[in-house]
Amino acid sequence: MPKHSVTPLSVLDLTPVSAGQTPGDALRSTLALAGVAEAAGYSRYWLAEHHLNTGVAGSAPHILAGLVASATKTIRVGTAATLLGNYRPLQIAESIGTLAAVFPDRVDLGFGRSGPPKSPSDPAPGVVPPTDTPDDRVVDGLLIPAPRPIFGAVLPRKFRLQGELLGRFPGDTDNFENDVQDIIGFFTGGYRTRHGEEVTATPALGQSPQFWIHGSTAGPSARLAGKLGLPFGANYHVAPAGVLDSIAEYRAHFEPSASLQEPQVIVSADVLVAPDEHQAQRLARGYAQWVHGIRSGQGALPYPSPEDALDLPLDADANDLVKDRVDTRLVGDPHQVRDKLRTLQRTTGAQELLITTIAHDPADRQSSYQLLAEAWGL
């Protein structure tokens, strides 16, 4: 009997480094997980971009995407997201064009806008600032937590150092729309210099990766995705407070394009599945500490084992800083997590869900994706 049609699931991999692992171990675990995800029926395998984190090895997503594509046969491979200010548009077009030429009809390019704020008091792009109504709310069964401030009035040194080393400057995200248009133009042949000169970007010209724009707020990224008629990636796993607003903003500004006639949304979720709830909760230990390293500006630390996490308690302020992430992480047995994801899909109206899973043991990550795929009906 054929299976009924189900909402596609895809993978977002940060390439986390666990305590006791080397970055090389983590990168090899990503390649192994990609093979598992492909065999289990996931549609896409996307790589994130993070820098200066000892607990994350996914700092070169274009290179890693090529390795993943080489290690698989059919699953789509891409970035979620390529942070545009960290590169020049031509560099991105040439890198992704290379992948698209070697792996036709398998490459996705996600655009992200993250960068330094214009002033120390402004939130970093993609961060939902706290509001005057700081209460959690439930919308159609989905928890929408109160926004959490990510940093204080002064950006942590690590965040500022990252910007300096990557050549970022306050306000450079104002170029986001032009950069997106330029990159697409290198692929379509529509790029022109300010003097009207045509430029051929080999091997990008003529290739056709699928372009996405990712965002966490009802801000410029959501509006640009709608304006250009591109699919939109909404961020429930990092900034759950803004997910519904960002999707609404995208849909309100959507204009049909040659590639997309109706809005298309993928929503990310942080998920951990185990054979039973007790085991899932045990494997989930360490997540709050790992998120706190990111939220506090220290950077992600190597992910602790469930046993070691018991010796890393957080105080009340630290717990409050990560409460929204912990409360919206979907943890449980396959059927529990399946039902929670169905709620997320129904409430957001997403056409696809993007699953990110972090655990100390790479084998537990693989098992989580396999159990979810089976319960979901991939």
Side-chain angles (χ1 to χ4, degrees), residues 7-317:
T7 300
L9 299 183
S10 292
V11 175
L12 174 62
D13 190 359
L14 279 62
T15 312
V17 181
S18 295
Q21 274 193 333
T22 66
D25 293 331
L27 290 163
R28 285 184 286 273
S29 294
T30 280
L31 299 183
L33 180 60
V36 168
E38 180 175 70
Y42 288 84
S43 297
R44 311 173 195 269
Y45 200 97
W46 284 351
L47 290 312
E49 179 178 340
H50 293 271
H51 300 279
L52 302 187
N53 288 297
T54 58
V56 174
S59 57
H62 303 153
I63 294 175
L64 190 51
L67 295 172
V68 169
S70 294
T72 54
K73 297 185 185 309
T74 59
I75 195 169
R76 296 191 66 89
V77 177
T79 60
T82 294
L83 305 181
L84 296 198
N86 295 346
Y87 315 86
R88 301 298 300 160
L90 179 61
Q91 292 175 301
I92 296 173
E94 290 175 336
S95 296
I96 297 300
T98 298
L99 292 179
V102 177
F103 304 102
D105 301 320
R106 288 187 59 199
V107 176
D108 300 331
L109 171 56
F111 300 116
R113 187 175 166 268
S114 179
K118 293 182 179 180
S119 71
S121 60
D122 291 335
V127 172
V128 182
T131 67
D132 294 333
T133 56
D135 295 329
D136 294 350
R137 58 197 176 106
V138 176
V139 178
D140 194 19
L142 181 69
L143 174 63
I144 303 296
R148 290 294 190 278
I150 305 302
F151 304 124
V154 178
L155 286 175
R157 173 59 183 161
K158 182 182 287 289
F159 192 89
R160 289 184 284 118
L161 178 61
Q162 173 184 308
E164 293 170 10
L165 293 174
L166 292 172
R168 304 300 300 267
F169 56 90
D172 64 4
T173 55
D174 292 343
N175 298 322
F176 183 67
E177 180 172 351
N178 288 336
D179 286 348
V180 170
Q181 297 271 32
D182 286 349
I183 293 166
I184 294 175
F186 284 128
F187 284 92
T188 63
Y191 178 83
R192 300 291 185 273
T193 70
R194 68 181 68 178
H195 304 295
E197 298 170 287
E198 295 184 16
V199 173
T200 298
T202 305
L205 182 62
Q207 305 303 327
S208 53
Q210 189 175 100
F211 302 111
W212 290 72
I213 293 180
H214 297 271
S216 300
T217 68
S221 297
R223 290 191 288 272
L224 182 60
K227 172 184 174 181
L228 298 182
L230 295 177
F232 179 64
N235 196 336
Y236 188 67
H237 84 282
V238 167
V243 65
L244 295 182
D245 291 339
S246 67
I247 294 172
E249 190 77 354
Y250 164 65
R251 290 182 175 138
H253 288 80
F254 183 82
E255 298 177 17
S257 65
S259 60
L260 196 63
Q261 293 301 299
E262 296 180 350
Q264 181 178 347
V265 175
I266 190 170
V267 176
S268 64
D270 214 314
V271 168
L272 184 60
V273 184
D276 61 72
E277 183 179 10
H278 177 76
Q279 185 175 352
Q281 293 295 342
R282 185 184 73 82
L283 296 178
R285 295 175 193 159
Y287 180 75
Q289 291 85 347
W290 186 81
V291 172
H292 183 262
I294 300 171
R295 282 278 176 94
S296 65
Q298 302 169 44
L301 303 176
Y303 199 92
S305 69
E307 292 69 34
D308 289 344
L310 295 174
D311 298 325
L312 300 170
L314 297 178
D315 61 25
D317 288 341

Side-chain angles (χ1 to χ4, degrees), residues 136 143 145 148 295 318-328:
D136 294 350
L143 174 63
R148 290 294 190 278
R295 282 278 176 94
N319 275 313
D320 185 65
L321 186 63
V322 302
K323 184 177 186 298
D324 60 329
R325 293 284 302 272
V326 173
D327 289 350
T328 56

